Amino acid sequence: NSFDSTLKDITKPGGNITNREQSIKEQETRINQKIGKEESRLDFVREKLIKQYSSLDIFIQHYQQLSGFLEQQLVTLELIVKC
């Protein structure tokens, strides 16, 4: 009887098991919210890094073109000086 009474108290609505289940569900909700926030933050950082990389890539291409132009100018200057 004591066992049955204790078991009923634990398993009844508002009992230990119900309270523990509710607590776990609340923790799960909070964890899922944190995961969502972190995923959003990571998406933002990813997009920011992609933009920075693209800008850097354009910058490097520009200076590679400038380097090629300057090399051509130096070759032309050397030819003029030799004449």
Side-chain angles (χ1 to χ4, degrees), residues 34-51:
K34 286 180 181 180
I35 288 170
K37 286 178 183 179
E38 283 301 308
E39 285 175 343
S40 295
R41 186 185 70 78
L42 289 173
D43 287 342
F44 175 78
V45 170
R46 180 180 177 270
E47 290 300 317
K48 182 179 173 183
L49 289 173
I50 288 171
K51 287 178 184 178

Side-chain angles (χ1 to χ4, degrees), residues 4-32:
D4 289 339
S5 175
T6 302
L7 184 60
K8 285 180 183 177
D9 286 342
I10 291 173
T11 57
K12 70 179 180 182
N16 290 343
I17 291 177
T18 304
N19 289 339
R20 185 67 183 137
E21 285 175 342
Q22 183 63 33
S23 175
I24 290 170
K25 287 178 184 177
E26 289 171 0
Q27 288 176 347
E28 180 184 21
T29 299
R30 284 192 302 273
I31 289 169
N32 286 334

Side-chain angles (χ1 to χ4, degrees), residues 2 20 57-58 67 70 79:
S2 176
R20 185 67 183 137
D57 192 43
I58 291 169
S67 173
L70 291 174
L79 291 174

Side-chain angles (χ1 to χ4, degrees), residues 68-82:
F69 171 75
L70 291 174
E71 284 180 40
Q72 290 174 354
Q73 295 301 310
L74 286 172
V75 168
T76 302
L77 183 61
E78 287 175 1
L79 291 174
I80 292 173
V81 170
K82 286 182 183 179

